Amino acid sequence: MIRDEISMIRFFDFRGKKGIIMEKYLIRTEMEPQEIYSRLDHVQSDQLPKVRKALRKLHAFEMMAVNIYRMQITAENTDFNRLIIQAMTNEMTHVQDFQAKIYEFGSRPSPTRFFNALLGMFLGLSSRLRGKKAILAMGIWTETKAVEDYQAIISSVRWDKETLDVIKHNLDDEYHHIETLKKVLEQI
């Protein structure tokens, strides 16, 4: 059953840092003030517009993913519903990662991100109305699209190490999500 594939979200305290774990997979540690700083000196001036555009795109796409999953959640107390809540929670951490990076690079999120959020609500609700297989297919499509975008963005800009590490970590998350959703789909 699905419970065999996923574990409940657990909170942990590691050396004084709080975070969230799903299965054995770290989602988020608590951010510290010294982790946030201006990155304007870490990028060449000709790369700055590309960096900002790429981060805005990732942020807007992750907002769409959050809303897809949010609209798929029901009031049912089931493993399947917990899987969708877990997926939404993980995507929320990606939104936070990219929003922080956008500000560190001296910019603001895209004003058009709300269109992505609305699209996510529509896609999430329409898949929810069609059932579990449609929900999982939508999740797999969303995560696959994210992988494609992440890969293109990684190679399109000269990233500083810390930002590239965040992008690659989130890309690894997307691969993990695809595998999890495909396993669950095979069981239905």
Side-chain angles (χ1 to χ4, degrees):
M1 200 68 168
I2 294 173
R3 185 172 293 278
D4 296 335
E5 296 298 325
I6 64 169
S7 299
M8 297 296 292
I9 295 173
R10 299 184 322 259
F11 297 91
F12 72 97
D13 185 31
F14 179 73
R15 296 184 188 166
K17 289 193 73 143
K18 295 179 180 142
I20 301 172
I21 287 186
M22 65 178 199
E23 296 176 342
K24 296 176 185 173
Y25 195 74
L26 174 66
I27 296 177
R28 157 84 58 212
T29 59
E30 184 178 84
M31 289 191 91
E32 302 292 337
Q34 65 271 18
E35 294 178 78
I36 307 292
Y37 58 91
S38 173
R39 295 187 180 275
L40 295 174
D41 295 337
H42 293 89
V43 65
Q44 295 174 352
S45 60
D46 66 321
Q47 290 289 297
L48 187 58
K50 293 177 186 177
V51 165
R52 289 174 171 167
K53 182 179 178 181
L55 290 171
R56 284 187 193 121
K57 180 177 182 174
L58 291 170
H59 178 256
F61 187 83
E62 294 294 355
M63 285 188 68
M64 182 182 78
V66 166
N67 280 322
I68 287 171
Y69 291 123
R70 186 171 65 88
M71 297 306 292
Q72 294 172 338
I73 296 169
T74 67
E76 296 174 358
N77 183 16
T78 64
D79 290 340
F80 187 82
N81 203 46
R82 282 187 285 278
L83 171 71
I84 303 305
I85 294 168
Q86 178 181 326
M88 180 196 67
T89 303
N90 202 320
E91 299 301 332
M92 289 169 70
T93 66
H94 297 177
V95 169
Q96 292 172 332
D97 287 341
F98 295 126
Q99 188 161 338
K101 293 297 174 205
I102 287 168
Y103 287 118
E104 287 181 336
F105 282 101
S107 190
R108 299 213 176 274
S110 171
T112 62
R113 71 191 181 278
F114 297 110
F115 294 114
N116 287 62
L118 286 172
L119 177 60
M121 292 171 73
F122 172 77
L123 293 171
L125 183 59
S126 65
S127 62
R128 177 177 158 189
L129 294 173
R130 294 189 335 265
K132 288 182 180 179
K133 286 185 178 183
I135 287 172
L136 293 168
M138 177 59 63
I140 292 166
W141 173 82
T142 302
E143 305 298 347
T144 302
K145 175 74 170 106
V147 165
E148 293 169 5
D149 287 350
Y150 275 73
Q151 289 172 336
I153 284 171
I154 285 172
S155 63
S156 70
V157 178
R158 288 189 300 268
W159 296 100
D160 65 289
K161 182 188 178 332
E162 292 84 8
T163 303
L164 183 59
D165 287 347
V166 167
I167 295 169
K168 286 183 175 181
H169 177 268
N170 290 349
L171 174 60
D172 289 343
D173 283 352
E174 305 301 355
Y175 282 119
H176 177 74
H177 300 163
I178 292 168
E179 290 172 23
T180 301
L181 294 171
K182 283 183 177 179
K183 285 179 186 175
V184 173
L185 184 58
E186 290 171 3
Q187 295 176 6
I188 293 181

